[in-house]
Amino acid sequence: MQIAGLEVRQLSPFKWEIPQDESRGMRVPGIIFIDQSMLEQAIKDRAAEQVINVATLPGIVHASLAMPDIHWGYGFPIGGVAAMDAKEGVISPGGVGFDIACGIRLLRTNLSQEDVDKVKSELMQELNRNVPKGVGKSGRVKLDRSEFNKAITRGARWGIGRGYGWEEDIEFLERRGCLAGADSDAVSQHAYERGHDQIGTLGSGNHFVEIQVVEEIHDEETARACGLSPGQITVMIHSGSRGFGHQICTDYLKVMERVTARMGYRLPDRQLACAPIKSEEGIKYAGALACGVNYAVLNRQLLTHWVRESFERVFRASARKLGMNIIYDNSHNLALFEEHQINGIKKELCVHRKGATRAFGPGHPDLPENYKSIGQPIVVPGDMGTCSFLLLGTEEAMKESFGSTCHGAGRMMSRSEAKRRISGSELKSALEARGISIMADSMPGLAEEAPDAYKDVSKVVEICVGAGISRKVARMVPIGVLKG
């Protein structure tokens, strides 16, 4: 099997290597965690070729990586992971994406499916009324520039300080809900204008609030540590940095194109435009990126508040009594400074994860005390017609993938193709016939996110488990979905 003329070598059942070819400018090999059938699809949509392109970036170490949910993206493939030497490497907006820190949050409850089934229609109506959603939708929180700068500097803690959440929520957010180094002066006025009234909004596309039931426990001990048991109701929230993050990416792509030309970088794809991490432009982008990360986590914090509020109204009990604690919050479009072992030497790296999730193993100092002995929880959504998973990070992931794993099912069909082939109204009827309540503002938008448009998330997860970079805790299935 070949990718862009290079012979691919299978290293293990779920690990394939693209050999380093210096004549193509590759500084490291490419490695894809995948099976043969999914690899063939990645070659067909040219996402695998993007793994080769990323391997040409200055300062990349070890390998250009991709997860099994790989598909074509801007610059990096979705599912791409690349670590750059923090002193000599580059930082690239194409390695993060437009929806900075788009991510998933999982809440537990003390409720059973029987409890929810009695009031599901009322609960879905309340969520639909209470959670702002949709393309360009404004939220209830509108901030002037001064207060907005405080919010994007402090992240989730800004929201909790104003009553949007509980103090203990912080413990279950990556980086405790605030990425250090945020520089509000590095954010344009246009980005502020797009984001100042969208905090606490769901957005559209593949973003959702989903009511789920735990259908299967794969590891009872770790499930207990996460507060999960069979038949229990959970809530999954998927959203990101909205127009604010999109504008940060747009602004800095233009900056990076100028830097790439000035530095004389010869890149196979202009969408990989980048700047040295230590350059003025690299430092500014990192500062703006941190603002985008903090915005996204704060956005999910406010959405959590609206969800808890909705459950309180329907069940006439406090969210605390309902046990609506956060299990974990993962972001999957990031460039983070982390320490990893390279050839036995601890080095500071800038790890780009584009449509990939952090998966730190047991004992990592960044993990909350509750999870230090088991590893980082990883929330992996499927699609609204199948299932989702809770996984854990592993020691093997720290060695093999810079502590990274998949982020979801991964698209197989473009949004435009999905709309051509699938009727949103027919899809809604089919899902509801299976007991999955759907609230969506747009039927074409619903068709874009049809289960048939995605890979099989169970297969993606099995590959990650088989490769040793994750292990399974629980599987959840949807019973109610709120879409933008």
Side-chain angles (χ1 to χ4, degrees), residues 37 111 208 309 339 358 365 379 454:
S37 63
L111 299 166
F208 60 78
E309 193 175 71
E339 288 188 340
R358 200 184 76 170
V379 188
Y454 285 88

Side-chain angles (χ1 to χ4, degrees), residues 122 126 129-130 140 308-317:
E122 182 186 354
E126 182 60 29
R129 185 196 67 79
N130 205 31
R140 302 181 214 165
R308 285 169 171 165
E309 193 175 71
S310 299
F311 272 70
E312 286 178 331
R313 289 173 180 165
V314 172
F315 288 97
R316 294 169 176 81

Side-chain angles (χ1 to χ4, degrees), residues 1-8 17-18 24 32 39 42-43 47-52:
M1 192 181 305
Q2 290 191 340
I3 299 175
L6 296 179
E7 198 69 33
V8 185
E17 181 186 60
I18 307 168
R24 294 173 182 248
I32 307 178
L39 179 57
I43 293 171
E49 193 173 328
Q50 291 185 303
V51 176
I52 296 172

Side-chain angles (χ1 to χ4, degrees), residues 328-393:
Y328 211 63
D329 180 289
N330 305 112
S331 295
H332 46 238
N333 286 340
L334 295 169
L336 295 178
F337 291 95
E338 301 170 357
E339 288 188 340
H340 291 272
Q341 295 278 344
I342 301 294
N343 299 322
I345 300 171
K346 187 178 286 188
K347 297 193 71 170
E348 185 184 22
L349 305 174
C350 180
V351 183
H352 294 65
R353 296 185 181 95
K354 171 134 174 230
T357 309
R358 200 184 76 170
F360 287 174
H364 196 283
D366 279 5
L367 299 183
E369 286 302 319
N370 300 48
Y371 302 139
K372 273 235 174 24
S373 64
I374 62 172
Q376 178 191 313
I378 304 148
V379 188
V380 180
D383 57 69
M384 56 192 163
T386 54
C387 60
S388 300
F389 288 87
L390 183 66
L391 310 180
L392 291 175

Side-chain angles (χ1 to χ4, degrees), residues 428-451:
K428 184 174 186 290
S429 297
L431 291 172
E432 291 184 338
R434 292 168 47 197
I436 305 170
S437 298
I438 303 292
M439 286 284 181
D441 290 344
S442 164
M443 288 302 104
L446 188 68
E448 290 179 1
E449 302 306 318

Side-chain angles (χ1 to χ4, degrees), residues 13 37 119 184 205 218 356 375 418 421 469 471 477:
S37 63
V119 294
S184 58
H218 297 279
R421 293 176 56 178
I469 58 175
R471 62 191 184 108
V477 294

Side-chain angles (χ1 to χ4, degrees), residues 411 413-424 442-450 453:
R411 292 196 77 92
M413 194 185 298
S414 70
R415 286 184 167 86
S416 57
E417 184 183 357
K419 284 192 289 189
R420 284 196 306 270
R421 293 176 56 178
I422 299 165
S423 161
S442 164
M443 288 302 104
L446 188 68
E448 290 179 1
E449 302 306 318

